[in-house]
Amino acid sequence: RAAREIRAEVGERADGAGELVVRELDLASLRSVRAFCQRVLQEESRLDVLINNAGVFQCPYMKTEDGFEMQFGVNHLGHFLLTNLLLGLLKNSAPSRVVVVSSKLYKYGEINFEDLNSEISYNKSFCYSRSKLANILFARELARRLEGTGVTVNSLHPGIVRTNLGRHVNIPLLAKPLFNLVSWAFFKTPLEGAQTSIYLASSPDVEGVTGKYFGDCKEEELLPKAMDDLVARKLWDISEVMVGLLK
């Protein structure tokens, strides 16, 4: 339906400037990620931009098809495998870009290597923040690994956006009218929330810029824990094993 709406809005271009295709991808399934990437590699000769944007927010404790805690599995591990499987195509298409959507809530997260899968304890807020911190550390380590290849990697926070991402958050019935009022007054529309992703994906201003973190289309400072290269490398190594890239 979304594709139909976009086609109707843009109109069928006589010059063949663009084609919109929809492909199934479930970030909660490594099988689905592998199948999607296989199809992309078969069908596409170029990959100029990859935007890692899917997210699960503060859901009750549940597991992905592969047994990962849902927020860490979807927000970090699914994107980690997706990006790695498409790296060859990205390099061959250089200059190309990887854009990783994180969140300011990374500030409340910690990478606990003793319980990455939240089997000892689970707090839905902290686990979301952990997955968003993982996004930034992944982008940082990927940028380091891709130095000199012509592929840039940057992360961002989109702001608080009025979408159904917060569907798992319980708001008391009496407070809902007030919440709705506040969200209309202060939250970004989806179009506004997408601007930093679009900027990092397409603007000539950030050509060659890599390993940085952005908000409202401007570079922002990170807390030291989001710039810890030792933690970033360890997280990368463990993630490789978790998604089956390494035995």
Side-chain angles (χ1 to χ4, degrees), residues 215-229:
D216 291 324
C217 301
K218 295 188 291 289
E219 189 182 330
E220 294 193 355
E221 290 293 315
L222 284 165
L223 294 180
K225 66 180 172 183
M227 297 187 290
D228 190 324
D229 290 333

Side-chain angles (χ1 to χ4, degrees), residues 112-122 127 130:
N112 176 9
F113 288 110
E114 304 305 312
D115 192 27
L116 273 182
N117 212 29
S118 302
E119 282 162 345
I120 298 170
S121 66
Y122 179 71
C127 285
R130 172 192 292 172

Side-chain angles (χ1 to χ4, degrees), residues 104-115:
K104 265 189 176 173
L105 293 175
Y106 86 85
K107 295 175 180 179
Y108 306 101
E110 300 292 340
I111 304 296
N112 176 9
F113 288 110
E114 304 305 312
D115 192 27

Side-chain angles (χ1 to χ4, degrees), residues 2-74:
R4 279 200 303 273
E5 287 172 6
I6 293 168
R7 287 192 193 104
E9 190 179 317
V10 174
E12 294 301 334
R13 300 190 181 194
D15 59 2
E19 182 190 3
L20 178 63
V21 295
V22 179
R23 297 287 177 260
E24 183 181 333
L25 171 62
D26 179 1
L27 273 292
S29 162
L30 299 183
R31 182 173 46 84
S32 174
V33 174
R34 290 181 187 279
F36 171 82
C37 291
Q38 191 175 5
R39 187 164 182 185
V40 168
L41 295 174
Q42 284 170 350
E43 294 179 351
E44 304 298 336
S45 59
R46 292 189 59 80
L47 179 56
D48 298 288
V49 183
L50 173 64
I51 303 180
N52 289 330
N53 178 69
V56 181
F57 179 70
Q58 293 192 10
C59 58
Y61 185 76
M62 55 180 86
K63 291 187 174 181
T64 68
E65 182 182 289
D66 306 280
F68 304 127
E69 184 274 311
M70 187 62 72
Q71 296 188 92
F72 190 73
V74 170

Side-chain angles (χ1 to χ4, degrees), residues 136-187:
I136 296 171
L137 291 168
F138 162 62
R140 186 175 177 86
E141 176 63 10
L142 183 61
R144 186 188 71 79
R145 288 169 181 252
L146 291 175
E147 276 176 16
T149 64
V151 185
T152 61
V153 190
N154 292 291
S155 58
L156 68 109
H157 76 87
I160 305 175
V161 187
R162 212 159 46 239
T163 69
N164 68 346
L165 181 69
R167 61 191 175 276
H168 295 294
V169 178
N170 290 319
I171 296 161
L173 200 59
L174 291 173
K176 274 192 175 172
L178 179 62
F179 175 80
N180 290 338
L181 189 66
V182 169
S183 71
W184 279 106
F186 298 107
F187 292 8

